[in-house]
Amino acid sequence: MAVIITIDGPSGAGKGTISRMLAKKLGFHYLDSGALYRLLGLAAKRHNVDTGNTKGLITLAEHMDIRFDITAEGSFKALLEGEDVTNTMRTENTAVLASQVASHVNVRAALLKRQQHFATAPGLIADGRDMGTVVFPDAELKIYLTASTEERAQRRYKELLEKGEDVSLPALIEQVRSRDERDMGRDASPLKPAEGAVQLDTSELSVQDVMDTVLNLTVVKGLFKSIHR
Ligand code: DC
């Protein structure tokens, strides 16, 4: 039996950081569902499948050769057809591709089982947009993380500057806004808080504040008796 904790929300809300820390703390598996959509976007580009070609995308979603690894240093690594694509996967261009391929209802359906297979004992932290609403509706704990558009763009800006990338903050704010619009406005599993989800605005919170709140919730929900920080 696997305990499932879902962490949904828009890009830059802190899902990835919190999910990875939580998975490590609890000794759980980790599903980065955004990475799955990002790899599908990259696979589509590699095989010249248009992001509007639903049939082609479904075939890729069902058969693409992907692997996720956690390195000895604890960082997340993604392989597409044996090639390490971790860095390419994180670019803004790939994010746009991911958001486009993710808007097709049948493409999402083709990825559903693949995502559900990650739920193995002792438990899973599932990070994405529809983890609590569609993929794991019976999860023991559902969390919806959010933050203001400006704060989320700022976080991304800092991250990219640290990587030495030349970026403009206004352009990033616009990108965040348009990706939100596409992810929240689509018909297929739009981004929204799941029923019963605990909503947390992280704009003014530190990573440690968010971790403490989430760990407390796991105790309150009776998933763990107490957690030593
Ligand atoms: O979390 P992320 O930024 O890596 O996700 C990239 C895109 O993938 C996001 O803009 C929308 C899509 N996505 C989705 O539709 N459903 C998910 N569960 C995860 C991501």
Side-chain angles (χ1 to χ4, degrees):
M1 243 277 293
V3 172
I4 297 174
I5 300 176
T6 59
I7 306 202
D8 289 303
S11 58
K15 294 177 304 241
T17 307
I18 296 299
S19 297
R20 280 189 290 271
M21 284 174 73
L22 200 58
K24 194 166 174 212
K25 181 92 189 167
L26 303 178
F28 278 17
H29 301 283
Y30 169 51
L31 165 62
D32 179 350
S33 61
L36 215 55
Y37 287 98
R38 284 170 186 261
L39 289 190
L40 180 59
L42 284 179
K45 192 171 162 202
R46 181 175 287 189
H47 295 284
N48 291 318
V49 173
D50 192 88
T51 54
N53 175 355
T54 315
K55 264 197 173 159
L57 291 175
I58 291 173
T59 307
L60 278 180
E62 285 170 346
H63 300 288
M64 65 179 174
D65 166 20
I66 57 170
R67 222 180 69 213
F68 296 133
D69 276 341
I70 302 287
T71 64
E73 299 78 42
S75 53
F76 183 81
K77 194 167 146 185
L79 302 170
L80 174 62
E81 293 160 6
E83 186 197 336
D84 185 347
V85 292
T86 317
N87 291 334
T88 329
M89 183 183 85
R90 292 290 173 215
T91 64
E92 286 307 304
N93 283 346
T94 310
V96 172
L97 275 179
S99 180
Q100 287 169 342
V101 299
S103 66
H104 302 269
V105 66
N106 294 330
V107 173
R108 302 190 71 86
L111 285 178
L112 189 66
K113 283 266 168 333
R114 260 186 135 139
Q115 296 177 82
Q116 289 170 337
H117 280 142
F118 280 77
T120 52
L124 177 72
I125 308 297
D127 154 355
R129 303 290 187 291
D130 61 343
M131 299 294 99
T133 50
V134 176
V135 182
F136 300 110
D138 299 325
E140 277 79 3
L141 174 62
K142 299 179 184 182
I143 293 172
Y144 188 86
L145 288 189
T146 185
S148 69
T149 311
E150 288 71 20
E151 174 61 26
R152 291 186 285 119
Q154 268 289 354
R155 289 176 188 173
R156 188 72 186 129
Y157 182 64
K158 265 193 173 161
E159 218 177 273
L160 291 174
L161 279 188
E162 273 163 24
K163 281 190 194 163
E165 289 186 36
D166 181 25
V167 281
S168 117
L169 184 58
L172 273 179
I173 294 178
E174 202 32 56
Q175 273 172 17
V176 166
R177 227 188 280 283
S178 77
R179 193 136 72 91
D180 281 357
E181 251 171 50
R182 186 162 39 232
D183 295 344
M184 292 174 179
R186 67 185 179 214
D187 293 332
S189 316
L191 168 64
K192 61 174 180 195
E195 219 181 294
V198 178
Q199 296 192 44
L200 213 56
D201 187 324
T202 69
S203 307
E204 309 278 325
L205 300 179
S206 68
V207 171
Q208 196 52 53
D209 291 338
V210 181
M211 265 304 276
D212 286 348
T213 309
V214 174
L215 285 172
N216 276 334
L217 284 169
T218 66
V219 175
V220 171
K221 282 269 177 183
L223 301 179
F224 302 96
K225 283 211 176 65
S226 68
I227 293 186
H228 302 289
R229 308 235 157 88

